[in-house]
Amino acid sequence: MFTVDRDYMKKLERPWRQAVVIKLLGKTISFRVLYSQVELLWKPTGGFDVLDLEYDYFLVKFDCQTDFDKVLAGGPWLIFDHYLTVCPWSPAFSPVNAAVTSTLVWARFPDVSVQYYDEDLLLALTSGLGHPVKVDKNTTLANRGRFARVCVEIDFDKPLVGQIELDGATYHVEYEGLHTICFQCGKYGHQASACSSEALASPVQGNEGLQVDGDGAPIQTQTCDNDVALGRGDSVGATGVSASGSGTNTGNKWGFGSWMVVAKKSRHGPRLQQANASLGGSFQPATNRFASLPVEEDTAGVSVKSVNFRVDPLPGPRQMGCAHKKPSHGLPYRSVTGALIP
């Protein structure tokens, strides 16, 4: 058996101390696409190298310590609406035995009233989902009112939280970038049709006692009943409020549902929907560039579409093969009318 000396091993590991291991969740992309995307996403000030590994893992080595720290401290990072997991490289890393067990995600709380847009309150409220990291600036500044947005580190070995209760009201929890959630066991990575987990012993409860006083400060009346069901302990926020997420008996028995997956907006936007509604649902977008051309009937009764083409003149003998000579622009154009049979 061959053994490498410890001092020599440190010398071998030194060039990789500023390296991270990354993997795109739920999507496979090529090496070139990933390289260009991380360059646009991270905007490094120094150089970096990317090494492709087995099982869709990549190793990124930075030349600058500042870029290395920014990538680890920043995020969540998304490419094509899928999360890019980032962790520092270690000598013990092996793609064969590696598994992504946690990552940073954006969680949304739609329809939450703006008086709850308090950073300490939202961090305490989100502690039941996982480890809260930060609140989105648009939420803390109340620039957006459709939902509160919080970054949280979630554990994929545990069920996600589908609903929370705040002051007696139940709110859905939405997860950006997580497209494969089982609505039976609440875990990420598979659909309910392929779920092999046993049913939960009892519906997930919790987060029923979080209240706010007249000044907007949280009142410490939180009860945590979901420690056994979710396998999580309660955590204490900066305000001293103990909070946990919950899935209640509302709707789905276990508090999971399709609302947990954030639907991607349509490429055609609301104008297409309005046009479709005005035409009674009969409007269809054009599938090719000739779809809007006028249709004419020929003598044989076959519908044809006419289109005018502008044909450029062929270059003269002196112009062909002479890249340094400018083509003549004084020659006339010929107009040709063609027919396209659908």
Side-chain angles (χ1 to χ4, degrees):
M1 182 174 132
F2 189 80
T3 304
V4 180
D5 181 74
R6 180 176 298 180
D7 294 335
Y8 191 73
M9 178 62 71
K10 290 182 179 179
K11 179 182 178 181
L12 296 176
E13 297 171 359
R14 190 175 299 115
W16 305 97
R17 290 179 180 176
Q18 294 179 180
V20 295
V21 178
I22 62 175
K23 182 176 183 177
L24 192 62
L25 290 181
K27 189 176 183 65
T28 301
I29 58 178
S30 66
F31 174 86
R32 291 185 178 181
V33 173
L34 182 130
Y35 188 96
S36 61
Q37 289 297 317
V38 296
E39 187 176 20
L40 293 173
L41 189 65
W42 294 336
K43 297 179 176 61
T45 57
F48 69 97
D49 297 316
V50 180
L51 180 66
D52 58 330
L53 307 176
E54 293 289 341
Y55 301 100
D56 298 326
Y57 286 97
F58 294 87
L59 184 64
V60 183
K61 185 177 68 172
F62 296 96
D63 296 340
C64 181
Q65 180 70 33
T66 304
D67 295 333
F68 175 76
D69 296 335
K70 182 180 72 172
V71 170
L72 286 179
W77 308 110
L78 288 101
I79 296 178
F80 303 134
D81 199 34
H82 288 262
Y83 285 107
L84 184 70
T85 61
V86 180
C87 65
W89 174 85
S90 69
F93 172 78
S94 173
V96 178
N97 302 321
V100 179
T101 58
S102 65
T103 190
L104 297 178
V105 303
W106 285 111
R108 295 182 181 181
F109 303 101
D111 302 324
V112 173
S113 186
V114 292
Q115 72 263 23
Y116 296 122
Y117 282 23
D118 176 77
E119 184 175 7
D120 293 334
L121 187 148
L122 290 174
L123 290 177
L125 186 67
T126 314
S127 62
L129 280 63
H131 175 66
V133 177
K134 59 184 177 181
V135 180
D136 183 45
K137 290 183 179 180
N138 288 325
T139 299
T140 55
L141 298 177
N143 291 334
R144 301 289 187 272
R146 294 190 297 112
F147 52 81
R149 191 169 184 248
V150 184
C151 174
V152 58
E153 183 181 5
I154 62 173
D155 189 346
F156 288 142
D157 293 332
K158 301 174 183 178
L160 301 174
V161 176
Q163 299 177 128
I164 60 169
E165 288 193 4
L166 177 61
D167 282 348
T170 301
Y171 298 95
H172 288 163
V173 182
E174 302 175 349
Y175 297 90
E176 299 180 16
L178 297 183
H179 306 283
T180 308
I181 300 177
C182 176
F183 303 139
Q184 178 175 329
C185 68
K187 292 185 178 181
Y188 168 80
H190 64 273
Q191 302 288 352
S193 58
C195 183
S196 60
S197 302
E198 296 181 0
L200 296 177
S202 60
V204 182
Q205 298 291 336
N207 224 12
E208 300 174 354
L210 188 61
Q211 299 180 4
V212 179
D213 60 18
D215 297 329
I219 303 174
Q220 186 173 355
T221 58
Q222 175 66 30
T223 58
C224 301
D225 299 329
N226 64 338
D227 295 346
V228 177
L230 285 181
R232 300 189 180 113
D234 55 338
S235 59
V236 180
T239 59
V241 179
S242 179
S244 293
S246 72
T248 66
N249 285 324
T250 306
N252 181 276
K253 181 180 180 181
W254 312 111
F256 310 128
S258 59
W259 65 80
M260 300 172 65
V261 180
V262 176
K264 199 172 183 180
K265 292 183 179 180
S266 174
R267 294 177 56 188
H268 299 288
R271 289 194 293 180
L272 177 60
Q273 299 176 1
Q274 296 175 0
N276 195 23
S278 63
L279 296 176
S282 61
F283 177 78
Q284 297 293 335
T287 56
N288 59 73
R289 54 184 172 178
F290 300 115
S292 60
L293 296 176
V295 178
E296 298 179 357
E297 294 288 339
D298 64 358
T299 56
V302 180
S303 297
V304 297
K305 294 182 179 180
S306 61
V307 56
N308 290 327
F309 299 95
R310 191 179 70 173
V311 181
D312 294 337
L314 294 175
R318 298 183 59 185
Q319 295 175 347
M320 298 183 64
C322 302
H324 63 280
K325 290 182 177 292
K326 295 183 180 180
S328 174
H329 297 285
L331 297 178
Y333 293 105
R334 292 182 292 121
S335 180
V336 179
T337 302
L340 301 177
I341 302 178

